[in-house]
Amino acid sequence: MLLAGTSYGLVTPLVKMAIAHGIPVTKLTVSQYPVSIILLWLGALGTKKPVPVAKARKTEIAYMALLGVIGAAASLSYYHSLAFVPGAVGIVLLFQFAWILPVINGLIRRQWPKKHEQLAIAIIVIGTVFAAGPAKWHFPLWAVGLGLMAATLYALSLLLSGQIVGQLSAWQRASISTSVSFVVVLLAGQPWQTPHELFSLKIWAWGTVIGLFSLTIPLIAIYVSAPTLPPALTGILAAWELPVAVILSSLWLRESVDLSRWFGILLILGGIAFSSVVPALVANPTRRYQPHPIYPQTKSE
């Protein structure tokens, strides 16, 4: 799981570097999918006794298609936001999913955050104020809106992912949702309108590298490790993405990250850790942990 968080943390500075090299956001988004889709489908075909996709429940396929659409929209929103905001600010905006998720859950299921979750949300919001440094903003507010939209879509995808119960393996589900995402970004990017860019080695090189760190490596790491880890530890390790992205943005992009921003980042991480650890502490320590609800095991795994 630590590998997944580190891999996701590399995405933000890599996208900023690709944009700095003159690669359009839509083309970058399109080019990250092909190699990753091939690798994921190879993994799906290698699953022991896989259930044929044609025999899967239609509701399960529909869920995966919906997740694919949401994932594509989240990527497009986040990458367009990164074209205008610093990488350190972009990742902080994306991490607002930590409090958006329980809010969406409350609106949909009427299951409102518990007291310790409310306290964690307050800590995260306060941390965001320090981490984003609003007094130093020199970028359009609509770009901030896109970052928050990406966070909302990401939170929604996590919520829906926890509802999937079916016969398909995790590899098959990832392959289907990623393939649908590819179709969506193709329609959004319309690469056929600029055919000369289809043969640009620079675009495909950057896209492939970003796709490996944003799709292939983290999905493989998550599907292998998350079902075997306690939920508290899963959430904490996943949060490793935030400091990795900020540190690399500072080192690779020469972005200024002062002490107030580091204080905010620590508050955000503390809020996430607090919300993850408290349920584990109040639970019976002798009980066996169940698979993480976001990454459930299936009969075929």
Side-chain angles (χ1 to χ4, degrees):
M1 197 64 200
L2 188 62
L3 176 61
T6 303
S7 181
Y8 276 135
L10 288 166
V11 174
T12 295
L14 285 174
V15 170
K16 291 289 293 184
M17 292 171 67
I19 293 173
H21 279 78
I23 300 177
V25 172
T26 51
K27 304 300 186 296
L28 181 64
T29 309
V30 170
S31 61
Q32 73 176 341
Y33 280 93
V35 173
S36 294
I37 288 176
I38 293 172
L39 294 175
L40 288 173
W41 275 111
L42 288 175
L45 294 175
T47 303
K48 294 181 179 179
K49 298 180 180 180
V51 176
V53 175
K55 294 184 179 180
R57 297 186 182 94
K58 292 182 179 180
T59 53
E60 186 177 5
I61 299 295
Y63 253 116
M64 298 318 305
L66 178 60
L67 285 173
V69 173
I70 294 174
S75 293
L76 288 169
S77 300
Y78 185 54
Y79 290 1
H80 276 92
S81 175
L82 286 178
F84 295 91
V85 304
V89 174
I91 190 64
V92 167
L93 292 174
L94 183 63
F95 255 70
Q96 300 313 296
F97 81 85
W99 65 265
I100 293 175
L101 178 56
V103 170
I104 294 178
N105 186 57
L107 292 174
I108 294 178
R109 302 177 183 171
R110 301 300 177 184
Q111 297 177 356
W112 299 105
K114 299 177 182 179
K115 289 185 177 180
H116 75 274
E117 292 174 331
Q118 295 175 9
L119 178 58
I121 289 173
I123 293 173
I124 292 171
V125 172
I126 294 173
T128 301
V129 173
F130 284 95
K136 303 175 183 179
W137 284 4
H138 300 290
F139 37 84
L141 290 179
W142 61 262
V144 177
L146 284 177
L148 293 176
M149 180 185 297
T152 303
L153 291 168
Y154 182 49
L156 185 59
S157 70
L158 292 180
L159 183 64
L160 293 176
S161 295
Q163 309 306 306
I164 299 173
V165 177
Q167 299 171 308
L168 296 177
S169 70
W171 284 93
Q172 290 172 309
R173 295 197 300 266
S175 300
I176 294 171
S177 62
T178 305
S179 298
V180 173
S181 294
F182 183 45
V183 174
V184 174
V185 298
L186 274 178
L187 295 175
Q190 300 182 2
W192 52 83
Q193 291 189 353
T194 52
H196 64 281
E197 293 183 344
L198 294 175
F199 304 98
S200 172
L201 180 60
K202 183 171 71 171
I203 291 178
W204 287 107
W206 276 104
T208 298
V209 171
I210 291 173
L212 289 175
F213 288 112
S214 65
L215 297 169
T216 310
I217 295 176
L219 286 178
I220 292 173
I222 287 170
Y223 292 145
V224 169
S225 64
T228 64
L229 292 175
L233 184 58
T234 300
I236 293 172
L237 292 179
W240 182 246
E241 172 188 355
L242 178 58
V244 170
V246 174
I247 291 172
L248 292 182
S249 294
S250 176
L251 294 177
W252 292 357
L253 306 177
R254 303 300 181 185
E255 292 183 358
S256 175
V257 183
D258 53 27
L259 290 178
S260 64
R261 285 188 172 180
W262 278 117
F263 176 68
I265 290 168
L266 290 176
L267 281 178
I268 294 173
L269 292 174
I272 294 173
F274 181 78
S275 65
S276 300
V277 170
V278 168
L281 292 178
V282 299
N284 185 351
T286 62
R287 66 178 286 190
R288 181 177 178 179
Y289 281 101
Q290 299 296 321
H292 196 280
I294 295 176
Y295 315 109
Q297 290 175 310
T298 62
K299 296 179 181 179
S300 60
E301 291 178 300

